[in-house]
Amino acid sequence: PTNETASGPTAPEGQPDAPAVEPPSEPATTSLVPVHAPDDSMASESPSDGSGLPNPMPEEAHALLKLMGMVQPAMQDTVLGYIAALDVGEVSKQWIAWSPGGDPVLGRGIGLAAGRLKRQAFLSKAQAMAKDADPGVRAAAFEAIGHLAGASALVAVRQGINDAEPMVRVAALCALAEMGQRTERTGMTDSWIKALANDQDPTVAATVAKLTS
């Protein structure tokens, strides 16, 4: 015989009680944290080491120009394509607003983009930027001058090959080579370039060898 209790039947006397059955536990819930796509302000700050491109790419002129000044050369053409698709006026506002001593990353991006897009109106700004305190800005400015300027700017660009920073000397050398070809003054520009054949910086010396080979 079994004993009845208020909670149900129990085991017969003399036999051990059956093990209690635990009610099934409810599955644990996971708290979901929403993930937000990066906005323009986030894109303008990354990647500071130029190691990659943000996804999605920013759409605003300031952020794209700053990104242009951050990324490695291999990625610059990709960023330049986005800048080229912007309204010309929006890009122009950025270089008009930038002043010497301003954000050097933005200044570098402006110089690189304006020169490669052949924005002739940028030339006077580039000539001012060639005197900036930041070597990255100076280098970008000389590159832009090389793309945009005529024979009258050759002497000014020549001064850049005496800059204390190797990256600026390299940019000025490349500008002289490009301008010499465009203005048919390679005899003069080649002689200036060869003067740095024994530069103490190996990158500068290698640039001279490449440009004069």
Side-chain angles (χ1 to χ4, degrees), residues 108 112 135-147 157 160-161 163 165-179 193 196 203-204 207 211:
R108 175 172 167 76
L112 293 173
V137 173
R138 296 199 302 275
F142 278 117
E143 180 181 321
I145 294 169
H147 292 317
V157 176
I161 68 176
D163 195 280
E165 294 292 332
M167 68 185 300
V168 181
R169 298 202 295 276
V170 167
L173 286 167
C174 293
L176 283 176
E178 182 176 350
M179 294 169 69
I193 292 170
L196 270 67
T203 303
V204 176
T207 300
L211 294 174

Side-chain angles (χ1 to χ4, degrees), residues 158 161 172-178 180 186-198 204 207-212:
R158 183 189 183 187
I161 68 176
L173 286 167
C174 293
L176 283 176
E178 182 176 350
T186 54
M188 179 173 64
T189 55
D190 281 356
S191 66
W192 295 346
I193 292 170
K194 289 176 181 178
L196 270 67
N198 297 317
V204 176
T207 300
V208 173
K210 181 179 179 180
L211 294 174
T212 58

Side-chain angles (χ1 to χ4, degrees), residues 1 16-17 28 61 63 92-93 100 111 126 133 136 140 145-146 166 178 185 209 213:
D17 291 342
S92 299
K93 287 178 184 177
I145 294 169
E178 182 176 350
R185 287 170 169 79
S213 60

Side-chain angles (χ1 to χ4, degrees), residues 38-184:
D39 58 18
D40 286 350
S41 63
M42 293 170 65
S44 68
E45 296 300 328
S46 66
S48 60
D49 62 353
S51 60
L53 295 174
N55 185 19
M57 289 285 285
E59 299 178 357
E60 190 262 336
H62 182 277
L64 282 168
L65 288 166
K66 190 162 184 176
L67 185 63
M68 183 72 174
M70 292 179 180
V71 297
Q72 298 294 333
M75 300 177 187
Q76 289 172 356
D77 283 347
T78 299
V79 181
L80 188 65
Y82 284 86
I83 296 172
L86 296 173
D87 180 83
V88 174
E90 292 302 312
V91 179
S92 299
K93 287 178 184 177
Q94 294 297 320
W95 82 53
I96 291 170
W98 194 91
S99 58
D103 182 344
V105 177
L106 178 61
R108 175 172 167 76
I110 289 171
L112 293 173
R116 296 181 192 184
L117 292 174
K118 302 295 192 292
R119 301 287 167 81
Q120 198 66 35
F122 179 72
L123 178 57
S124 60
K125 187 79 169 190
Q127 291 168 330
M129 291 171 71
K131 301 174 184 178
D132 193 80
D134 185 84
V137 173
R138 296 199 302 275
F142 278 117
E143 180 181 321
I145 294 169
H147 292 317
L148 303 173
S152 61
L154 283 169
V155 174
V157 176
R158 183 189 183 187
Q159 297 175 1
I161 68 176
N162 297 317
D163 195 280
E165 294 292 332
M167 68 185 300
V168 181
R169 298 202 295 276
V170 167
L173 286 167
C174 293
L176 283 176
E178 182 176 350
M179 294 169 69
Q181 290 283 346
R182 189 169 62 250
T183 62
E184 299 182 348

